[in-house]
Amino acid sequence: MKTYRHLFFDLDHTLWDFETNANETLAQLFSDYNLARHGLFTFTEFSQRYSEINHALWRLYQSNKVTQKQLREVRFVRTLTRLGVAEADVPTDISARFTEILPRKAAVFPHTHEVLTYLKNKGYLLHLITNGFEDVQHIKLNSSSLTPYFDEVITSEHSGFLKPDPRMFAHALARTRATAAESLMIGDNLECDVLGAYNAGIDQVYFNPDKRRHFAQITYEISSLAELRDFL
């Protein structure tokens, strides 16, 4: 069994339960802005449409085809107008409210705290490497009591690169004084986390809780964070 020293985790969808936290935030916005008054859609339809549009915009952002500002400005406008709301009736501050509320949610995936405690006690150096926005990632970490586990938090904004760009991983290795051979990347995204780490010469753990079918060659694959204890 290969020996690792530095463990690099993705945050959203890997440790911090983005879908649960986002759904709670959307429910609050649906109520606060009385979106039901339009009579055009249910909360479920609102949540589903937002998720589709947000994921599509994030793919564009990770490909450097839209900016952070554009992503934030258009996701709710697109969501609500495609559900039938006139653009003039879209609340002007709804995106800012979402960005304010969301990172203060605390839901994490099952076994997150116990596994991170276990790894820390085993002597591993734990780091985060995330494409998430700098201004919200640290709030998420504090709100979910994850901050104490990590030695370094490497964001795309700080590094100037986005996963899966190998330069993002090179920056992370340089900042943590780690070598690729002694490092392991754990994340939920096949392209950004797994392929990105592979192209940087770093072993990978694909966190696949939904057990999605794929044909990628991966160092390790898990459906529960608890499985990390099987080989670390």
Side-chain angles (χ1 to χ4, degrees), residues 41-53:
F41 48 87
T42 64
F43 168 70
T44 299
E45 291 168 327
F46 170 63
S47 176
Q48 289 175 343
R49 184 56 59 91
Y50 170 81
S51 181
E52 293 166 4
I53 289 171

Side-chain angles (χ1 to χ4, degrees), residues 37-137:
R37 76 185 187 280
H38 295 288
L40 298 170
F41 48 87
T42 64
F43 168 70
T44 299
E45 291 168 327
F46 170 63
S47 176
Q48 289 175 343
R49 184 56 59 91
Y50 170 81
S51 181
E52 293 166 4
I53 289 171
N54 188 53
H55 282 130
L57 285 167
W58 265 96
R59 286 193 293 271
L60 292 174
Y61 174 70
Q62 290 167 343
S63 302
N64 292 305
K65 294 178 180 176
V66 299
T67 65
Q68 175 196 126
K69 185 173 183 288
Q70 289 170 327
L71 186 153
R72 287 180 169 175
E73 285 178 348
V74 306
R75 56 187 173 184
F76 280 99
V77 173
R78 287 188 185 177
T79 297
L80 291 169
T81 55
R82 290 181 186 179
L83 288 168
V85 177
E87 186 168 342
D89 292 332
V90 176
T92 56
D93 64 341
I94 190 170
S95 183
R97 286 286 293 145
F98 180 83
T99 303
E100 178 186 353
I101 297 167
L102 175 65
R104 289 170 172 80
K105 299 293 183 180
V108 295
F109 278 92
H111 310 292
T112 292
H113 286 284
E114 64 189 75
V115 168
L116 292 177
T117 299
Y118 163 84
L119 294 172
K120 198 79 172 171
N121 289 340
K122 291 276 285 186
Y124 291 104
L125 298 175
L126 309 184
H127 316 289
L128 279 171
I129 178 169
T130 171
N131 282 351
F133 301 141
E134 182 94 27
D135 60 347
V136 299
Q137 296 304 72

Side-chain angles (χ1 to χ4, degrees), residues 155-162 168:
T155 67
S156 56
E157 285 182 83
H158 187 271
S159 72
F161 307 106
L162 286 160
M168 173 67 151

Side-chain angles (χ1 to χ4, degrees), residues 188-201:
D188 72 291
N189 189 299
L190 270 177
E191 180 180 1
C192 290
D193 300 317
V194 174
L195 183 59
Y198 174 83
N199 287 335

Side-chain angles (χ1 to χ4, degrees), residues 7 13 15 25 41 56 63-64 72 76-77 81 83 107 151 154 160 171 187 196 206 212 226 230:
L7 306 181
H13 307 283
L15 301 173
T25 305
F41 48 87
S63 302
N64 292 305
R72 287 180 169 175
F76 280 99
V77 173
T81 55
L83 288 168
D151 295 286
I154 297 107
H171 172 84
Y206 177 36
R212 297 185 184 94
D230 295 341

